[in-house]
Amino acid sequence: LLRARQTKYNFAHFIGTSSASLEVKRRARRSASAESPVLLLGETGTGKELLAQAIHSASPRAHKAFVSINSAAIPEALLEAEFFGTAPGAFTGADRKGRTGKLQIAQGGTLFLDEIGDMPLPLQSKLLRVLQEKEFEPVGSNDVIQSDVRVIAATSTDLQAAIKRGEFRADLYYRLNVLPIQVPPLRERLDDLPALSEAILEELRSQHELSRAALDLLGQHAWPGNIRELRNVLERAALLSDDLILTEEDIRAAIGTFTPVERPSVSTLEPLAEETFAEARQRFDRQLIQSALAQCAGKVPEAA
């Protein structure tokens, strides 16, 4: 639940040269030099905590602690004490010496709030006060402690939809949404699969390599579990294969339930309102090229 340590990831660990990956890294690098909250949005398994650590590592706070806490992993009754700490004997069963909260542990550094969309409403209002007033009180104490933390939040929840359902405070959302970074799912950055696969196999200390057919098959799967699923598939395939070259059959067996990528279809050349012939042809050419690239998993020579 808690990791107060120096980070082990930097921007070099966010593998990818696709346009989507480069844009994420560009925005994340820009945010590292700022003190404003960062909101990382994206599906589970896309690498949001890795980016949070990379932002901290590149920030002026890198020499201080990076404290990570998952809002969905701690019982609601204990969350406030986990965040703010407790005064000695604050409640029945509390430590007689008191307990240091995560905000104090992260002083001078970064507090990473994972799955903030699952944070209970009462705690959301108190977190908002911390962000606005830069101060907080431990549970059971009247002492006001000045807060010096940089907050990075992440969620796979649609926060705007949660606001409409009354499950997330709009004012907290706007306070966190100063520097939003949308982390794309793997199916939107299939160009990165070769580099990602090589990096994962190297991390696993595996001598295996992917055949061309196996790599092509990776580009045809939608990866609902994103990079976490890719790592799981490659590790399983490497463990089960007797050969150092992983084949298409090895990968298909490791994937199990195959989810094909939805390919954009080339629409008919039906002219839009007041569209000239030249404009219609240009639109058709663009759609044709996009479709070919999608079918070839982003490989430009094959698409050409």
Side-chain angles (χ1 to χ4, degrees), residues 142-198:
N142 293 322
D143 295 332
V144 177
I145 299 177
Q146 297 299 311
S147 173
D148 177 25
V149 296
R150 201 275 177 87
V151 172
I152 301 177
T155 183
S156 56
T157 302
D158 185 341
L159 292 183
Q160 292 184 334
I163 291 172
K164 293 178 180 178
R165 296 193 302 267
E167 298 173 359
F168 200 84
R169 292 181 62 104
D171 46 6
L172 177 58
Y173 171 74
Y174 294 126
R175 189 68 188 86
L176 291 171
N177 200 39
V178 178
L179 292 171
I181 299 176
Q182 184 72 46
V183 186
L186 184 53
R187 62 182 174 275
E188 293 181 7
R189 43 179 293 217
L190 294 175
D191 292 1
D192 297 333
L193 274 172
L196 280 168
S197 299
E198 183 178 355

